[in-house]
Amino acid sequence: LHRQILFGADDTGKPKALAARDRLHALNPAITLHAHDAELTDENAPGLFASYDIIIDGTDNFPAKFLINDVAVKLGKPVVYGAIQGFDGQVSVFDAAHGPCYRCLYPESPRGQVQNCAEAGVIGALAGIAGTMQAMEAIKLIAAHHSFAPLRGTLWMIDAKTMETRILAIRKNPDCPVCS
């Protein structure tokens, strides 16, 4: 719970989607929320994503990230991507209509053992930084104002030990099996 500020000790054992919905509704009863208490699969992802304009990826494993990307590309939806491990974080916007997709950056899962957040541990504050950056990218996509641009075609990276950040260009892969 140290990095998941929507949840309290009383939520232990409750489905996360429902507990998050209840907490957000308590903060603002005027909003409409739709909680999906289901594992994301190739069967249900297209139906779930179809109702939304932007997909925000808060997952912690490669199979889910590839699934999110592939379905979003097929449906023409941008993905606000975030990833953290240890002291390192990254954020980007993958939107195949305007640039590369996730598979252009990572064509396949890394070989060998890569730990997820539960296995490797996560710095809670870094999860907050990456999540806030993802929220900002979603706001940029929604506002669509010419004076600022989402991180399409770029990868924002942070090293939380030194607080150094970098932005790397990502090129669309002309041989990408998903978006090209």
Side-chain angles (χ1 to χ4, degrees):
L1 295 176
H2 70 284
R3 70 179 189 276
Q4 300 178 13
I5 61 173
L6 286 178
F7 309 106
D10 292 344
D11 295 318
T12 302
K14 294 180 184 175
K16 289 173 85 172
L18 303 180
R21 178 202 58 203
D22 293 346
R23 173 72 176 129
L24 292 170
H25 193 260
L27 289 172
N28 185 350
I31 60 175
T32 301
L33 298 163
H34 302 281
H36 302 283
D37 183 26
E39 181 178 349
L40 188 67
T41 65
D42 21 344
E43 289 83 31
N44 68 12
L48 290 172
F49 290 9
S51 300
Y52 301 98
D53 297 324
I54 300 168
I55 310 303
I56 300 177
D57 174 7
T59 62
D60 69 352
N61 65 78
F62 288 104
K65 290 186 179 302
F66 285 116
L67 174 61
I68 290 166
N69 175 78
D70 297 356
V71 173
V73 169
K74 288 178 187 170
L75 296 176
K77 312 273 183 177
V79 175
V80 180
Y81 157 82
I84 59 174
Q85 188 169 34
F87 286 90
D88 299 314
Q90 7 180 282
V91 174
S92 187
V93 174
F94 295 109
D95 185 355
H98 301 282
C101 76
Y102 180 74
R103 285 190 187 265
C104 292
L105 178 62
Y106 299 113
E108 55 188 49
S109 288
R111 299 196 193 306
Q113 178 75 15
V114 177
Q115 296 179 320
N116 65 26
C117 293
E119 297 163 337
V122 171
I123 306 299
L126 182 58
I129 291 169
T132 301
M133 291 295 293
Q134 285 181 277
M136 189 67 235
E137 292 307 301
I139 290 168
K140 289 185 206 176
L141 288 169
I142 293 164
H145 194 269
H146 66 85
S147 67
F148 50 83
L151 289 170
R152 288 183 180 120
T154 58
L155 180 69
W156 178 82
M157 301 171 64
I158 184 168
D159 176 342
K161 285 187 223 166
T162 63
M163 294 309 288
E164 291 182 273
T165 62
R166 295 181 298 172
I167 296 179
L168 303 176
I170 307 168
R171 295 195 177 151
K172 191 169 184 93
N173 178 356
D175 299 321
C176 178
V178 177
C179 73
S180 293

